[in-house]
Amino acid sequence: MELHVWLAFASASIALLLIPGPTVLLILSYAISQGRRVALATVAGVALGDLVAMSTSLAGLGALVLASSKLFILLKWVGAIYLVYLGIKLFRSASGASLGTLDDAPVTSPRKVFVHSAAVTALNPKSIVFFIAFVPQFINPNAALAPQFGLLIATFVSLAAINALAYALLADKLRQKITRPSVLPFLTRLGGGALVMMGVATATIRRS
């Protein structure tokens, strides 16, 4: 994989990971209600969940690429439309974004936090479809797929773990500000706009 393609993937992955979704909301909820003591368990669970979801997604993507180059192109366009759809849906849901009531949340063991984080991240159907929609623009179908997939998985999972840790530690320090009614809707709208822009970029990108 060429360096500029990998850098583009890493940059796009960072932007995607910052978008508030089920995993980010889960991290914020645990960080605000449980504090730092479950931060590492949350990070490990998110990393495992992303590893499972992305590996499953790319296995299906690899089969499509090997079957037909036309399917690969079609998948890119379907992915672009899907990203725009997710962005619009996320933007419209911003007004109802909430972390729930966390003041009296019971203490949860790190083991349960790990299992829950991994399950939410890995078993979210949108995650699998999302990876299939997002990854094709960074894959060269004329080169060996396994090394490319291995590099992309390692990159995304590492960035996901760092992102989860950053969210957990930051949320623990900024509990009062994050729970304000205006903060989460703003982040959700920002994330929706970012998804729409990525969908447009996916549709317009051209590979040699």
Side-chain angles (χ1 to χ4, degrees), residues 60-95:
L61 174 61
L64 285 175
V65 172
L66 292 175
S68 171
S69 59
K70 292 182 178 180
L71 283 177
F72 180 82
I73 296 174
L74 176 62
L75 183 63
K76 188 188 80 165
W77 279 99
V78 172
I81 296 172
Y82 181 70
L83 291 176
V84 172
Y85 165 75
L86 280 183
I88 295 174
K89 186 176 180 180
L90 187 63
F91 191 92
R92 295 180 63 182
S93 68
S95 59

Side-chain angles (χ1 to χ4, degrees), residues 20-28 42 46 50 117 120-122 124 127 163-164:
T23 300
V24 170
L25 296 182
L26 181 69
I27 294 170
L28 294 178
T42 306
V46 169
D50 277 323
S117 300
V120 168
T121 305
N124 181 9
S127 297
N163 179 72

Side-chain angles (χ1 to χ4, degrees), residues 122-191:
L123 300 180
N124 181 9
K126 290 183 179 180
S127 297
I128 296 178
V129 178
F130 182 80
F131 283 129
I132 295 178
F134 172 63
V135 171
Q137 58 186 304
F138 303 100
I139 294 294
N140 181 0
N142 298 318
L145 296 180
Q148 297 182 75
F149 287 169
L151 178 59
L152 296 182
I153 290 174
T155 300
F156 190 90
V157 171
S158 298
L159 292 174
I162 295 173
N163 179 72
L165 181 61
Y167 260 119
L169 296 179
L170 186 62
D172 180 56
K173 290 184 177 181
L174 304 176
R175 294 188 185 193
Q176 293 183 349
K177 292 184 179 181
I178 291 178
T179 52
R180 289 178 181 175
S182 61
V183 173
L184 198 57
F186 169 75
L187 292 176
T188 304
R189 291 189 182 94
L190 186 63

